[in-house]
Amino acid sequence: MIFIILAAGKGTRLYPLTKKKPKCLVKYKGKSILDHQLENCKKLKIQKIFLVCGYKSNKIKKKNIIKIKNKEYKTTNMLYSLFKLKKLFDGNNDLIISYGDIIYKNGVLKKLINSKEQLSTVIDTDWYSYWKLRMENPLEDAESLKLSKEYYITDIGNKVKNLKDIKGQYIGLTKISKKITKEILKVWVDMNKRNKANKIDNLYITDFLRILIKRKFKIKAIPVKRGWLEFDEPSDLKIKF
């Protein structure tokens, strides 16, 4: 199993905390976001860890992780960062993909790892109570997430005006089975052939998941109720698990 952390972005909304260091090194409860994630990996004996960095990447000095730099971090997004590691989509390892600005309890990650599905992603079904702590109107920020009766995701990542279109929120934690990593890479390669680079270089992971759904990939939702945090603004650092 390989653990991938996407941490190339500048994190401007966390200024001034990110003025001199990348977002993943911002501290929560006396420990960096990155250290929180690495502790989870250690507990679950995950040893192969790759981190895609960009902004202030020289500040990240951790042993036992492999740093890959996204030099285009100013003009690209999460999906571009992910496929800087396209060599890992070779069918040899399951891939866990984590945003670099989130932390989660060990049980959340363990639940994802234990999924037997070919493609799984964690969703928070108690998202509304969390969003209410962070903003006055959760609908301004929340995105669509629809589920089938079997808990496969049928829609994700679109802007919505109605709460009924939100059965949970994507938290930024996904697993791809080694059985389909080559197929996933083929989708990315095909997208590059069909589209101008600037159209796909700025896509989010949720955009890619929506594309995979259209291409008949089944994405299993792994439900949790809280147990995680996302850090976009300084006020997020005051919220408890």
Side-chain angles (χ1 to χ4, degrees):
M1 179 172 292
I2 292 176
F3 194 83
I4 298 170
I5 303 171
L6 304 178
K10 199 170 181 179
T12 53
R13 285 189 287 171
L14 269 175
Y15 265 36
L17 299 175
T18 51
K19 187 175 182 180
K20 296 183 179 180
K21 59 187 173 185
K23 199 175 184 182
C24 66
L25 294 186
V26 170
K27 290 186 176 181
Y28 174 76
K29 303 297 183 185
K31 192 184 304 177
S32 74
I33 298 169
L34 178 57
D35 279 337
H36 280 283
Q37 292 198 9
L38 294 180
E39 279 193 4
N40 275 330
C41 289
K42 187 176 181 179
K43 288 177 183 176
L44 294 173
K45 298 181 180 180
I46 301 172
Q47 297 179 337
K48 296 179 181 178
I49 303 169
F50 287 76
L51 185 143
V52 184
C53 51
Y55 174 71
K56 303 288 183 184
S57 58
N58 61 312
K59 300 288 185 179
I60 304 172
K61 298 174 182 178
K62 295 287 181 184
K63 295 180 181 179
N64 303 321
I65 67 170
I66 300 170
K67 291 197 316 182
I68 303 295
K69 188 167 183 180
N70 174 5
K71 295 179 180 179
E72 296 77 32
Y73 71 90
K74 291 182 180 179
T75 57
T76 60
N77 215 317
M78 292 281 198
L79 190 61
Y80 184 89
S81 285
L82 175 60
F83 283 101
K84 293 294 287 184
L85 294 171
K86 61 184 180 182
K87 66 178 182 179
L88 300 180
F89 288 73
D90 58 3
N92 293 323
N93 295 280
D94 291 343
L95 305 178
I96 301 288
I97 302 158
S98 174
Y99 282 3
D101 62 353
I102 60 173
I103 64 172
Y104 27 83
K105 291 184 177 179
N106 194 250
V108 173
L109 180 57
K110 191 174 182 179
K111 193 172 183 181
L112 178 66
I113 289 173
N114 288 340
S115 172
K116 303 299 183 184
E117 300 285 333
Q118 293 188 350
L119 189 54
S120 313
T121 196
V122 179
I123 67 165
D124 185 358
T125 57
D126 191 28
W127 70 275
Y128 190 77
S129 65
Y130 179 35
W131 258 246
K132 284 289 286 185
L133 293 174
R134 304 174 70 200
M135 59 201 72
E136 288 187 15
N137 184 6
L139 274 176
E140 288 183 0
D141 181 76
E143 297 178 331
S144 67
L145 198 150
K146 298 179 181 179
L147 301 169
S148 70
K149 291 181 180 179
E150 297 81 18
Y151 255 67
Y152 290 102
I153 297 174
T154 59
D155 180 60
I156 187 171
N158 285 307
K159 283 298 176 185
V160 294
K161 296 181 180 180
N162 199 312
L163 286 174
K164 69 179 179 65
D165 293 323
I166 307 175
K167 302 304 181 184
Q169 281 294 277
Y170 171 78
I171 79 165
L173 196 57
T174 298
K175 177 185 175 183
I176 304 174
S177 166
K178 61 185 178 183
K179 296 177 182 178
I180 63 164
T181 52
K182 288 183 178 180
E183 293 178 47
I184 298 293
L185 179 59
K186 285 180 182 179
V187 174
W188 168 253
V189 171
D190 183 55
M191 287 168 60
N192 275 274
K193 288 179 180 178
R194 293 169 179 265
N195 299 281
K196 293 181 179 179
N198 61 356
K199 284 189 175 182
I200 61 173
D201 288 353
N202 283 291
L203 293 180
Y204 293 93
I205 300 298
T206 48
D207 294 319
F208 190 54
L209 294 178
R210 196 165 59 248
I211 289 167
L212 293 177
I213 291 168
K214 289 180 180 178
R215 295 192 179 214
K216 307 304 180 183
F217 285 84
K218 296 178 72 175
I219 305 174
K220 187 73 168 186
I222 306 299
V224 298
K225 289 187 176 182
R226 300 289 302 276
W228 71 287
L229 293 174
E230 177 184 32
F231 303 103
D232 281 332
E233 299 182 9
S235 58
D236 288 328
L237 295 165
K238 299 176 183 178
I239 300 175
K240 297 180 181 180
F241 268 104

Short mmCIF file of all heavy atoms in Angstrom, two decimals, residues 30 54 58 61 83 90-91 96 112 183 215 221 226:
data_model
loop_
_atom_site.label_atom_id
_atom_site.label_comp_id
_atom_site.label_asym_id
_atom_site.label_seq_id
_atom_site.Cartn_x
_atom_site.Cartn_y
_atom_site.Cartn_z
N GLY A 30 -0.54 21.89 18.65
CA GLY A 30 0.89 21.74 18.88
C GLY A 30 1.62 20.80 17.94
O GLY A 30 2.81 20.54 18.11
N GLY A 54 4.96 21.79 -3.28
CA GLY A 54 5.13 22.89 -4.24
C GLY A 54 5.57 24.13 -3.50
O GLY A 54 6.76 24.43 -3.38
N ASN A 58 10.86 23.47 0.37
CA ASN A 58 12.13 23.28 1.08
C ASN A 58 11.96 23.23 2.60
O ASN A 58 12.86 22.79 3.32
CB ASN A 58 13.11 24.40 0.71
CG ASN A 58 12.60 25.78 1.10
OD1 ASN A 58 11.45 26.12 0.82
ND2 ASN A 58 13.44 26.58 1.71
N LYS A 61 10.92 18.85 5.79
CA LYS A 61 12.12 18.04 6.01
C LYS A 61 11.77 16.84 6.88
O LYS A 61 11.96 16.86 8.10
CB LYS A 61 13.21 18.88 6.65
CG LYS A 61 13.65 20.06 5.78
CD LYS A 61 14.63 20.98 6.48
CE LYS A 61 15.00 22.15 5.59
NZ LYS A 61 15.92 23.11 6.25
N PHE A 83 -1.18 13.20 -10.52
CA PHE A 83 -0.57 12.46 -11.63
C PHE A 83 0.87 12.86 -11.91
O PHE A 83 1.46 12.40 -12.89
CB PHE A 83 -1.46 12.55 -12.87
CG PHE A 83 -2.65 11.63 -12.78
CD1 PHE A 83 -3.90 12.11 -12.42
CD2 PHE A 83 -2.50 10.27 -12.97
CE1 PHE A 83 -4.98 11.26 -12.29
CE2 PHE A 83 -3.57 9.39 -12.85
CZ PHE A 83 -4.81 9.89 -12.51
N ASP A 90 0.66 1.52 -11.45
CA ASP A 90 1.23 0.42 -12.24
C ASP A 90 0.64 -0.95 -11.89
O ASP A 90 1.10 -1.98 -12.37
CB ASP A 90 2.75 0.38 -12.06
CG ASP A 90 3.17 0.21 -10.59
OD1 ASP A 90 2.27 0.07 -9.73
OD2 ASP A 90 4.39 0.25 -10.31
N GLY A 91 -0.37 -0.95 -11.03
CA GLY A 91 -1.01 -2.20 -10.68
C GLY A 91 -0.33 -2.99 -9.58
O GLY A 91 -0.74 -4.12 -9.27
N ILE A 96 -3.65 5.08 -1.36
CA ILE A 96 -4.47 5.94 -0.51
C ILE A 96 -4.08 7.37 -0.83
O ILE A 96 -2.91 7.73 -0.77
CB ILE A 96 -4.22 5.67 0.99
CG1 ILE A 96 -4.54 4.22 1.36
CG2 ILE A 96 -5.04 6.65 1.84
CD1 ILE A 96 -6.00 3.88 1.38
N LEU A 112 -11.35 3.14 5.71
CA LEU A 112 -11.10 3.23 4.26
C LEU A 112 -10.19 2.10 3.80
O LEU A 112 -10.46 1.45 2.78
CB LEU A 112 -10.48 4.59 3.93
CG LEU A 112 -10.12 4.81 2.46
CD1 LEU A 112 -11.38 4.84 1.59
CD2 LEU A 112 -9.33 6.11 2.29
N GLU A 183 -6.18 1.25 -15.11
CA GLU A 183 -7.38 1.77 -15.80
C GLU A 183 -7.59 3.24 -15.48
O GLU A 183 -7.96 4.03 -16.35
CB GLU A 183 -8.61 0.97 -15.38
CG GLU A 183 -8.61 -0.47 -15.83
CD GLU A 183 -9.85 -1.20 -15.32
OE1 GLU A 183 -10.96 -0.65 -15.46
OE2 GLU A 183 -9.70 -2.31 -14.77
N ARG A 215 -17.77 7.41 -16.66
CA ARG A 215 -17.13 6.34 -17.42
C ARG A 215 -17.40 4.97 -16.79
O ARG A 215 -16.70 4.00 -17.07
CB ARG A 215 -15.62 6.60 -17.52
CG ARG A 215 -15.30 7.85 -18.33
CD ARG A 215 -13.84 7.93 -18.67
NE ARG A 215 -13.54 9.10 -19.48
CZ ARG A 215 -12.61 9.13 -20.41
NH1 ARG A 215 -11.92 8.04 -20.70
NH2 ARG A 215 -12.36 10.24 -21.09
N ALA A 221 -18.99 4.85 -1.28
CA ALA A 221 -18.89 5.85 -0.22
C ALA A 221 -18.64 5.13 1.11
O ALA A 221 -19.33 4.19 1.46
CB ALA A 221 -20.18 6.65 -0.13
N ARG A 226 -18.23 12.82 11.42
CA ARG A 226 -17.15 13.66 11.94
C ARG A 226 -15.87 12.82 12.12
O ARG A 226 -15.62 11.91 11.34
CB ARG A 226 -17.56 14.36 13.23
CG ARG A 226 -18.78 15.29 13.09
CD ARG A 226 -18.47 16.55 12.32
NE ARG A 226 -17.40 17.33 12.90
CZ ARG A 226 -17.55 18.22 13.89
NH1 ARG A 226 -18.76 18.44 14.40
NH2 ARG A 226 -16.53 18.90 14.35
#
